[in-house]
Amino acid sequence: MAKVAHSLLERVKGQLLAELGQDVRDERVLAAVASVPREKFVPDELRAFAYENRPLPIGHGQTISQPLIVAMMTEALELKSDEKVLELGTGSGYQAAILAELAGQVITVERILPLAERAAAVLGELGYENVRVCVCGDVLGWPEEAPYDGIVVTAGAPQVPPALLEQLAPGGRLVVPVGARDVQELLLVTKGPLGLTTKRLGPCRFVPLVGPGAWSSADLGFAEG
Ligand code: SAH
């Protein structure tokens, strides 16, 4: 029974990879999606949907992002295997695992402790030794380990957070959804020799980034548990 379910998942995963391949050209990113078991990062009862190209709830009002968005954000970072990358919004830990396949070192930060704990446990079980899961401090990101060659924000911000630009290395890339609470535009900001350049990657929809320089929980008025 478990075996049948597994082969079904593998078949849907193949379809997902074919679908992603229409928009994502970087073979390294597609190989990372192929090797990370997304079913381990979703709640047990949603396992059957793990390879559908859509976000899924992971508890505490949060979601694991849509695979296409994860792949697009990762592709935009253009990570090299010796680079250090920061993720804001660990959530399930899935995006962190994809980053860990491509970068030398991954620091991922989460503000909801039980999500951080669960993600760290799954990443540990899967043997990712180059990922460190941190629980948010008083500033956005994780300045202790800065600068980063890449920063990816997997929650929507009202503006490009200045604190994250400060944590970006020269030549570094920041991928961040910016806009209103319910819909944002995905931006790629590059710190080049002549200053910052911004490229628009298209519309997207993320849960809010909460914290200093982003949304406050009072603004949002949402309950989390
Ligand atoms: N990348 C995740 C999806 C994240 S959903 C995955 O692959 O599953 C967005 C996450 O951002 C939520 O878990 C939310 O709690 C977290 N978050 C919101 N504001 C944050 C902040 N300021 N710092 C770190 N994490 C934050």
Side-chain angles (χ1 to χ4, degrees):
M1 182 65 189
K3 204 166 174 194
V4 172
H6 183 72
S7 66
L8 260 178
L9 273 184
E10 285 304 312
R11 192 156 57 80
V12 191
K13 188 174 192 176
Q15 288 164 359
L16 174 67
L17 281 162
E19 194 179 330
L20 299 187
Q22 293 173 7
D23 294 296
V24 174
R25 299 282 165 220
D26 187 334
E27 290 295 335
R28 293 174 64 233
V29 173
L30 295 171
V33 175
S35 57
V36 177
R38 191 169 185 258
E39 70 273 20
K40 302 273 190 212
F41 295 89
V42 304
D44 284 348
E45 64 277 17
L46 297 178
R47 237 184 131 231
F49 307 107
Y51 292 105
E52 291 191 1
N53 193 10
R54 57 165 160 138
L56 294 169
I58 54 171
H60 304 272
Q62 309 303 322
T63 53
I64 176 173
S65 307
Q66 181 190 0
L68 176 60
I69 289 284
V70 172
M72 279 175 57
M73 289 176 114
T74 308
E75 182 174 49
L77 286 170
E78 294 190 51
L79 291 167
K80 299 194 185 74
S81 57
D82 60 347
E83 287 188 325
K84 176 149 78 161
V85 61
L86 170 71
E87 177 192 25
L88 271 78
T90 311
S92 67
Y94 176 70
Q95 169 84 71
I98 297 282
L99 297 171
E101 295 278 337
L102 298 169
Q105 202 187 338
V106 182
I107 311 288
T108 179
V109 190
E110 174 55 56
R111 60 182 289 274
I112 300 177
L113 180 63
L115 288 178
E117 287 175 340
R118 183 173 146 73
V122 175
L123 290 162
E125 259 168 46
L126 292 174
Y128 287 104
E129 290 180 354
N130 58 341
V131 184
R132 184 173 156 207
V133 181
C134 303
V135 176
C136 269
D138 298 333
V139 273
L140 275 186
W142 198 255
E144 289 91 322
E145 295 268 358
Y148 301 98
D149 304 298
I151 301 180
V152 59
V153 185
T154 64
Q159 57 182 356
V160 175
L164 297 184
L165 293 173
E166 278 169 30
Q167 292 169 51
L168 207 54
R173 292 81 62 198
L174 165 65
V175 177
V176 56
V178 172
R181 265 180 58 183
D182 49 350
V183 63
Q184 305 90 30
E185 178 152 45
L186 197 57
L187 301 182
L188 167 65
V189 183
T190 305
K191 201 182 236 186
L194 302 177
L196 299 173
T197 53
T198 302
K199 189 174 164 195
R200 294 162 185 273
L201 303 179
C204 56
R205 187 182 293 264
F206 279 86
V207 295
L209 184 72
V210 181
W215 301 101
S216 78
S217 14
D219 287 340
L220 299 169
F222 61 47
E224 325 169 320

